[in-house]
Amino acid sequence: MEDRIEQHFIKERIHHLEQLSALLRIPSISALSTHKSDMVQAANWIAESLREAGLEHVKVMPTKGNPVVYADFLHAKDKPTVLIYGHYDVQPVDPVELWENDPFDPTIREGKIYARGASDDKGQVFMHIKALEAILKTKKELSVNVKFCIEGEEEIGSPHLPEFVSEYKDLLSADVLLISDTTMLGPNAPAICYGLRGLCALQIDVQAAKSDLHSGLYGGAVPNALHALVELLAGLHTKDGKVAVAGFYDDVEPLTTEEREALAALPHDDETYRKQLGLSALFGEPGYSTVERFMARPTLEINGVYGGFQGEGTKTVIPAQAHAKITCRLVNHQDPQHILDLIEEHVRTHTPEGVTIQVTRFDTGRPFVTRFDAPAIQSAAVAYEAGYGVKPYYMRMGGSIPIVEVFDRILHVPIVLMGFGLPDENFHAPNEHFSLENFDKGLRTLTYYYEHLETV
């Protein structure tokens, strides 16, 4: 990296952290309608930051939900165009009593900045803006063309962005899509993510009698909603951890030898992993390593079960209702709606006598996988090595960013998932934070990427 850009980052560091803190103070929680005005404020803040950085054609564009922020700088003739995607919305902060500081009062301690959105995804979006600003303020030009698409609904599944991308696909056309909303493997262990699992979610509601019943008067003579639900849930898996829903694995392609070798090369130790989680043993689908299970295999998880009396002490009732929430992580060609169809059919086929079942569907997102030898991804590897001094790993990520598959399907553009968060930074949880070491190294890595993408 050129010395004048390095000196710019050194000179502006305190100012950058003050600016980032100002963005983090905006409680842009997309899941809560009470924060609608905060969503607009955050979008306008991003737009103004892009203008100050020197980007052009900055727009806060309406959708049927929260606005999308667009900007570009298109003066590098015959050079590639990079579309940068991110989001300015954040998760709710509950349980707030577990935070060590106000979630929207950014606090720096021990080399980390603590606030909701610090890592996911405001901090990482902000880094892209400041990397490009550094180049523009020191060199007055870019080696590539850039466009920004920053949305405000990622944390609720991006319900309106597919329509936006489809409507404005010419405006968003690019040669590379660059996203920083994933994690590294650990401190000074950068990783390029070449695959994301998809998602589908549902709720099962069981109804037995019309109301709770006295267990002394009715016990042994009527169905128990919780018993029925437990029986249903137990039948979703085999004892060795495989999903027992018929057809669940039909569209899953086997991992290639190359992929298995790349995943096996990741610095993971089962025993350390087990101890960190406080477990007596690990568990999962047979025939696969722990890394393969949480990065590259599909899952069906019970997220919550409730019904009957849950207060202090005891209450002798037979519950009339019981409920369960379930999510699946999907891979390869698994279609979320088809998987939901299969689960619903399984549930109805195995419904115990005497109860009725209602299935409610929620969020869905398709999986995404790309070639990790693609030129744009290899350029990211070179940039990581320049910024961190080590070669990056290649990995899939077990989580989901549903809009990635939408970009892939509509824009037909290579996608580079180049994150700077750490797995233990508590995104979606109390005390979310972002490493300032990765903030500093990430700025330099991104600058190198933008400066050298043209050579790939």
Side-chain angles (χ1 to χ4, degrees), residues 3 7 12 14 114 142 164 189 221 234 239 241 244 267 292 304 306 326 328 331 366 372 377 407 415 418 445 449:
D3 184 65
Q7 292 305 311
E12 294 294 322
I14 293 176
Y114 286 79
L142 298 178
F164 181 91
K239 289 186 178 181
E292 289 170 345
Y306 57 101
I326 294 172
C328 298
V331 301
R366 290 176 175 270
F372 55 78
I377 288 181
F407 279 121
I415 298 174
M418 192 176 183
T445 300
Y449 186 82

Side-chain angles (χ1 to χ4, degrees), residues 168-373:
Y168 293 103
K169 63 181 179 181
D170 291 337
L171 179 69
L172 299 175
S173 64
D175 299 295
V176 178
L177 173 62
L178 182 58
I179 301 174
S180 295
D181 194 17
T182 53
T183 67
M184 310 198 314
L185 278 175
N188 214 53
I192 295 172
C193 180
Y194 67 92
L196 297 162
R197 291 197 287 193
L199 173 74
C200 63
L202 67 149
Q203 178 170 317
I204 299 174
D205 299 302
V206 179
Q207 181 72 50
K210 61 183 180 182
S211 66
D212 289 353
L213 300 172
H214 190 292
S215 66
L217 298 179
Y218 295 94
V222 298
N224 182 311
L226 272 172
H227 292 185
L229 179 61
V230 169
E231 180 181 336
L232 268 176
L233 298 180
L236 292 173
H237 293 87
T238 62
K239 289 186 178 181
D240 62 3
K242 289 189 67 174
V243 177
V245 175
F248 184 83
Y249 295 101
D250 286 357
D251 296 322
V252 179
E253 292 182 359
L255 290 169
T256 65
T257 300
E258 185 182 24
E259 281 186 284
R260 299 195 86 163
E261 289 174 352
L263 295 178
L266 300 179
H268 171 89
D269 177 74
D270 271 6
E271 186 62 12
T272 301
Y273 183 73
R274 180 191 68 78
K275 289 180 178 178
Q276 287 175 340
L277 297 175
L279 293 169
S280 60
L282 298 178
F283 177 78
E285 184 185 4
Y288 297 92
S289 70
T290 300
V291 170
E292 289 170 345
R293 289 170 185 162
F294 68 68
M295 283 190 179
R297 292 296 294 171
T299 66
L300 186 157
E301 298 289 354
I302 300 165
N303 308 124
V305 177
Y306 57 101
F309 177 66
Q310 299 176 59
E312 184 178 358
T314 186
K315 183 180 181 183
T316 55
V317 295
I318 298 173
Q321 295 183 345
H323 315 272
K325 294 182 182 293
I326 294 172
T327 53
C328 298
R329 299 291 179 169
L330 311 176
V331 301
N332 297 118
H333 304 295
Q334 287 182 302
D335 176 79
Q337 295 300 334
H338 178 58
I339 294 298
L340 289 171
D341 288 342
L342 294 177
I343 296 172
E344 189 163 350
E345 177 62 26
H346 178 96
V347 168
R348 299 203 182 284
T349 300
H350 294 84
T351 297
E353 289 189 16
V355 300
T356 58
I357 301 290
Q358 179 176 332
V359 176
T360 304
R361 302 183 180 196
F362 296 114
D363 297 352
T364 62
R366 290 176 175 270
F368 166 79
V369 180
T370 191
R371 292 170 35 240
F372 55 78
D373 60 351

